Amino acid sequence: MIPTHRKVTKQIRFVDEKGNALGNKTIHLKQTAHSFLFGCGAFEFIPYILKGDEEHKQITESWLDIFNYGTLPFYWGNYEPVEGQPNKDVLMKTAEYLKSRDVRVKGHPLCWHTVCADWLMKYDNETILRKQLERIDREVTGFKGVIDMWDVINEVVIMPIFDKYDNAVTRICKEKGRVGLIKEVFDKAHECNPEATLLLNDFNTSINYEILIDGCLNAGVPISAIGIQSHQHQGYWGREKLEEVLERFSSFGLPIHFTENTLISGEIMPAHIVDLNDWQVDEWPTTPEGEERQAREAEEMYRILFDHPLVEAITTWDYKDGAWLNAPSGFIRKDNSPKPSYEMLKKLIKEEWMTDIEVTTDAEGRAVVEGVKGDYSLNADNLSATANLTDDEEMTIVMSNI
Amino acid sequence: MIPTHRKVTKQIRFVDEKGNALGNKTIHLKQTAHSFLFGCGAFEFIPYILKGDEEHKQITESWLDIFNYGTLPFYWGNYEPVEGQPNKDVLMKTAEYLKSRDVRVKGHPLCWHTVCADWLMKYDNETILRKQLERIDREVTGFKGVIDMWDVINEVVIMPIFDKYDNAVTRICKEKGRVGLIKEVFDKAHECNPEATLLLNDFNTSINYEILIDGCLNAGVPISAIGIQSHQHQGYWGREKLEEVLERFSSFGLPIHFTENTLISGEIMPAHIVDLNDWQVDEWPTTPEGEERQAREAEEMYRILFDHPLVEAITTWDYKDGAWLNAPSGFIRKDNSPKPSYEMLKKLIKEEWMTDIEVTTDAEGRAVVEGVKGDYSLNADNLSATANLTDDEEMTIVMSNI
């Protein structure tokens, strides 16, 4: 059962190029893309763009077989390891390539205390904040039209009290306060690209994050969507927690993005680890039982999220095993072979949740079409068209000779 | 050692009524009142006003021997048990009496989910909010000039998730969100009395409350001071926690009021109790050892708080044992005899922290006066004056013949 809010039910009038009604015709509508954002970390596209080798070609093509939405890394410390020398070219080429393959791209993140640029620490706080805002201007303006979606600021609940090491962003967050800094960085991003989708993103799903969002919205911060991380290295949240989190964060009425989802296909990380980064292992193998479990849990999770009217995006963090924390967290193994979770998700996205129907028009060329929101190709005899179907409004589609 | 921020050091020129300098004179300055708000629950003044009996006379007089600041109850459910019939008269008389005794009065609270008026629940949320704002208007406007300090809203961190019983305020907080409701009630209170001191008050001293305040301030909520409850029925916080709380809540730069302080002079409540109201006992005796401990802990606490530049007020919640939770939480016992904590605090407030000095003027009538901020009576031979000394500016004091 596909949830109603994921579908259109609309009357369409089909005409030929001269405007004549295509009466009593059978028309084949095949969905080619989803409006819903099925995402994944797209980091693997960078080595492909850099090297163009066969291995990365295969990885990225299997990625593209499922996903329409990818996250690219803009960690300041890696993006601009030396002040004034940002790695813009390779990121731009990668983003443009993804766009050419009909993938929507999100940049992650514009402001974060982790993987922060160390060279910032030689400046006073006023200068750090200025450089932070200039950095946002440079990326958001510079990538406009190619990247129009950003994780503007990451993990603010912990940001001013993060004490693992000194860093420039924690310093300014301490001084300006959480909401004050969020407002600065969002206002700047919004000013640079008023059409962009701007996310606040956090792994903290407690009442802290709720109150933070509440404060930001009342302070007029232009948040487009709430980003929720769900790295489940320590075991699947389960239906109950997932529904509880959805219920709490729905109260704002904003779109919800699951921005960083992880489910493990091996042994799970012990519960006593508080910061996932503290779990450093040489080997973390994927196992057959783990892979079955991962596919089962991922299916339940994707179904629950797809079922929720406010969820607009789900991004699985690692496409391939052995990325962050060396975890068996991917849809494909280290040898690039697909796991059961890959096959499961491909079936959901490309079959169960994708529309492929025929309708027959009446004498005036009208038919009611019911299908999942997205892009369609249409065919009837020697006529064809493409259409984006996302609402229930009546429309006319002009079909052309092939 | 009295902290510098509690004192004035100012040059004063003393003159007689004709403007002649009082040169080479010894002037006696005796402090009569503190600028700092040494407060206590003033609930016992209500039966005194109602009955005027000897017992309550004694209780209130010993109260007045120490405190210059009192909290009066405005719990909606008690204040207006039947819609349209508020208990205004007795509260007004009590507040006016306190004012006549030079006590500053705070009303507590204007909005809270506990002791809420049950009759509100028959209305829809829009009406509840309207009645809440009308109630604020009625009290803040009606008591203006007598009560100019309010706990505007109480315990908002828990307010929308409070699930012990249905109540009207939790309903509207769920709908409007925490910051949204806070903004409504503060804006109304501020509109009705722009000069009033308006407090946000909570027992939650975690990061939740910090983020809530941060959001409110960024949303333009006119908070005058941060209210922190410190009911320590389960044992004294200790210096470390107290200093840690002070440090975290100082970051906003706003005045801090310890609004509801409790230290027990008997057995402490078991740590496993989460909601203090769940601890219902028939007897909770005060003990000699408990009273010594209470005095010791209260002294440490008052010293730490008086020492902190942003703290402007400390209110002990129960003046007399056996009030809230039947606890031995007062400065006086059930038989009205003073405990060691009473004697300790009286000594601190009325002796150690109170100025009583002589200065000698130079030939032009000038002397530098150093003293604790507050009201003074001045005497020299047959001349006298009163003065309010609260800053380091130079001033002239005219002394009159007695």
Side-chain angles (χ1 to χ4, degrees), chain A residues 380-391:
Chain A
D381 302 338
N382 60 335
L383 298 166
S384 78
T386 59
N388 177 250
L389 306 184
T390 53
D391 60 41

Side-chain angles (χ1 to χ4, degrees), chain B residues 24 26 55-56 90 110 112 126 145 163 184 193 212 219 226 229 235 266 317-318 358 362 370 373 394:
Chain B
N24 304 311
T26 298
E55 183 183 353
H56 282 100
V90 61
L110 292 168
W112 192 28
E126 199 186 333
D163 59 2
E184 290 269 8
N193 186 352
L212 184 65
I226 295 167
Q229 300 179 21
W317 194 241
D318 294 327
E358 287 187 342
D362 63 14
E370 195 180 300
K373 292 175 185 169
E394 286 187 33

Side-chain angles (χ1 to χ4, degrees), chain A residues 88-240:
Chain A
K88 185 179 176 184
D89 281 2
V90 61
L91 265 298
M92 182 60 92
K93 280 184 189 136
T94 308
E96 284 172 337
Y97 176 71
L98 283 160
K99 195 187 170 189
S100 77
R101 299 296 301 264
D102 297 321
V103 173
R104 191 138 166 220
V105 181
K106 183 176 69 175
H108 167 88
L110 292 167
C111 181
W112 191 28
H113 52 273
T114 305
V115 204
C116 193
D118 284 345
W119 50 260
L120 279 166
M121 288 196 285
K122 67 174 174 283
Y123 296 111
D124 62 20
N125 284 2
E126 199 186 335
T127 310
I128 291 170
L129 178 60
R130 183 168 52 74
K131 287 183 181 287
Q132 173 68 67
L133 298 179
E134 286 169 358
R135 189 256 157 143
I136 290 171
D137 190 344
R138 181 182 65 194
E139 269 66 278
V140 174
T141 305
F143 283 82
K144 195 169 162 177
V146 182
I147 300 180
D148 296 317
M149 191 182 285
W150 294 94
D151 288 329
V152 179
I153 187 165
N154 205 26
E155 303 178 358
V156 185
V157 170
I158 206 181
M159 188 175 274
I161 52 173
F162 179 83
D163 60 2
K164 288 205 147 191
Y165 45 81
D166 184 19
N167 71 87
V169 166
T170 289
R171 287 188 201 165
I172 55 172
C173 192
K174 258 195 184 113
E175 185 172 322
K176 295 212 62 87
R178 293 176 178 86
V179 182
L181 181 59
I182 293 172
K183 193 158 166 51
E184 291 269 7
V185 295
F186 266 83
D187 282 349
K188 176 53 77 181
H190 183 69
E191 176 196 323
C192 296
N193 185 354
E195 304 303 315
T197 301
L198 304 179
L199 286 103
L200 186 68
N201 191 42
D202 216 302
F203 67 87
N204 187 316
T205 58
S206 80
I207 197 174
N208 285 313
Y209 191 32
E210 283 178 74
I211 297 178
L212 183 65
I213 295 166
D214 187 9
C216 288
L217 294 178
N218 277 280
V221 178
I223 297 172
S224 319
I226 295 166
I228 292 176
Q229 300 180 19
S230 50
H231 293 295
Q232 296 159 83
H233 297 77
Q234 294 173 310
Y236 175 43
W237 285 0
R239 174 179 291 275
E240 198 179 351

Side-chain angles (χ1 to χ4, degrees), chain B residues 223-321:
Chain B
I223 297 172
S224 319
I226 295 167
I228 292 176
Q229 300 179 21
S230 50
H231 294 295
Q232 296 159 83
H233 297 77
Q234 295 174 309
Y236 176 44
W237 285 1
R239 174 179 290 276
E240 197 179 351
K241 172 167 175 180
L242 191 54
E243 289 180 340
E244 183 256 345
V245 167
L246 284 169
E247 197 198 327
R248 286 191 291 112
F249 289 91
S250 294
S251 66
F252 302 105
L254 281 178
I256 294 172
H257 289 207
F258 272 64
T259 52
E260 307 183 20
N261 192 50
T262 303
L263 287 162
I264 293 295
S265 71
E267 268 189 57
I268 62 168
M269 188 192 293
H272 70 268
I273 304 288
V274 175
D275 184 333
L276 300 183
N277 290 302
D278 291 340
W279 185 247
Q280 294 293 339
V281 288
D282 291 331
E283 289 290 322
W284 194 347
T286 184
T287 64
E289 320 80 66
E291 291 183 357
E292 291 306 323
R293 188 193 63 225
Q294 183 200 38
R296 208 166 52 237
E297 292 168 347
E299 180 175 353
E300 180 171 284
M301 206 174 155
Y302 273 76
R303 285 188 187 280
I304 292 168
L305 294 177
F306 196 66
D307 210 40
H308 193 283
L310 285 175
V311 177
E312 285 188 351
I314 315 169
T315 294
T316 288
W317 194 241
D318 294 327
Y319 182 58
K320 181 174 166 173
D321 279 0

Side-chain angles (χ1 to χ4, degrees), chain A residues 328-390:
Chain A
S329 50
F331 286 117
I332 64 174
R333 303 183 189 95
K334 285 187 174 176
D335 67 5
N336 302 331
S337 58
K339 293 187 198 171
S341 58
Y342 179 92
E343 304 297 351
M344 175 282 299
L345 196 59
K346 188 171 179 183
K347 223 168 145 223
L348 271 190
I349 297 175
K350 294 296 183 175
E351 294 178 28
E352 185 179 330
W353 289 340
M354 215 152 201
T355 303
D356 189 346
I357 49 166
E358 286 186 344
V359 294
T360 303
T361 59
D362 63 14
E364 281 82 44
R366 290 200 175 79
V368 172
V369 170
E370 195 180 301
V372 173
K373 292 174 185 171
D375 295 329
Y376 284 78
S377 75
L378 297 84
N379 283 283
D381 302 338
N382 60 335
L383 298 166
S384 78
T386 59
N388 177 250
L389 306 184
T390 53

